[in-house]
Amino acid sequence: MVKCVECRTELAQDAKFCPNCGTQVGLKKDVYNVSAGGLVGKVKEIVQDARVKRIIIKDEKGKLLLSIPVTWGTAGAVAMITLAPWLAALGVIAGIFTRCRIEVEKSKET
């Protein structure tokens, strides 16, 4: 039986989302620990990957600071104008915290 990567609940074979925590099934999660100074640059780098679905920013204690959904257009590119407000928020976060954890949810298919 398949288990949720987030909460370890057993899932039905045809499940698309975890009934317990709502996590989408079939996503891979990468985690990066960065200094506040490198936060915006790392997010800009991550966003270049077309498989990215969501970027989650947490403080060093694991508290959620920001969750950014990444939507790709039909042209195969995410518009930087769409990310502008998120990047401004990241700048504020970088000014407050010294270290952050970036969790990246991405699809497994290439």
Side-chain angles (χ1 to χ4, degrees):
M1 191 142 225
V2 179
K3 290 190 177 189
C4 174
V5 295
E6 202 60 37
C7 69
R8 307 302 297 161
T9 299
E10 290 189 6
L11 304 171
Q13 288 294 75
D14 60 344
K16 296 195 186 285
F17 295 91
C18 174
N20 186 49
C21 69
T23 300
Q24 186 175 346
V25 175
L27 292 182
K28 178 183 169 198
K29 186 180 275 191
D30 293 336
V31 178
Y32 304 95
N33 290 307
V34 297
S35 66
L39 181 61
V40 174
K42 186 64 175 176
V43 168
K44 284 182 179 180
E45 176 188 326
I46 290 167
V47 132
Q48 301 303 314
D49 186 347
R51 297 174 298 154
V52 172
K53 302 295 182 196
R54 177 174 303 279
I55 300 170
I56 301 163
I57 311 296
K58 295 183 177 183
D59 67 9
E60 50 196 3
K61 295 178 184 172
K63 182 179 175 186
L64 177 68
L65 301 174
L66 189 63
S67 178
I68 306 169
V70 179
T71 306
W72 288 83
T74 56
V78 64
M80 286 308 284
I81 195 157
T82 306
L83 288 176
W86 297 111
L87 294 176
L90 287 174
V92 171
I93 289 170
I96 297 171
F97 297 93
T98 56
R99 298 215 40 89
C100 295
R101 187 170 79 210
I102 303 173
E103 295 179 0
V104 181
E105 294 177 354
K106 58 173 79 171
S107 59
K108 291 182 181 177
E109 58 278 341
T110 55

